[in-house]
Amino acid sequence: MTVSNALFTEAQIIKDTNSALADIQETLALSLVDSLKAGDHITTPTVINMLKDLEEMQLKYYDRLEDNENTQGGLERQAQLGDDEQ
């Protein structure tokens, strides 16, 4: 079941990446709040764009995770069908 192990490893990497992206989003959001409090409007659009980009990245990773889980499920069903035939 090498493919299944690879998919499981990829799923864990995706989850870790999403966690790291969430941490970065939180840091950027806090930076944005600090920037707004300080009256600095020059960096505000940059931070907002960075937050949007991070959100888009997370959505792509969630899609990858869903595809990964669907593939894992298909492999498990195939393995079960193979076991049933024997």
Side-chain angles (χ1 to χ4, degrees):
M1 285 299 236
T2 305
V3 174
S4 183
N5 290 342
L7 289 171
F8 178 77
T9 301
E10 181 186 20
Q12 191 58 47
I13 290 169
I14 291 169
K15 290 175 185 175
D16 292 344
T17 301
N18 272 341
S19 178
L21 288 172
D23 291 344
I24 293 169
Q25 279 181 310
E26 182 179 351
T27 301
L28 281 173
L30 292 173
S31 295
L32 177 59
V33 169
D34 290 343
S35 173
L36 290 172
K37 284 181 182 177
D40 182 8
H41 300 288
I42 296 170
T43 60
T44 301
T46 303
V47 174
I48 290 171
N49 287 334
M50 290 172 73
L51 287 167
K52 287 179 184 176
D53 291 344
L54 285 167
E55 183 178 33
E56 288 175 16
M57 286 174 60
Q58 277 188 300
L59 291 174
K60 288 178 186 176
Y61 275 103
Y62 284 125
D63 288 344
R64 269 184 65 192
L65 183 60
E66 185 177 347
D67 290 344
N68 179 301
E69 290 171 349
N70 290 338
T71 303
Q72 279 184 2
L75 288 172
E76 289 172 6
R77 282 190 294 281
Q78 281 182 340
Q80 287 174 351
L81 289 174
D83 291 343
D84 290 344
E85 290 177 1
Q86 292 178 359

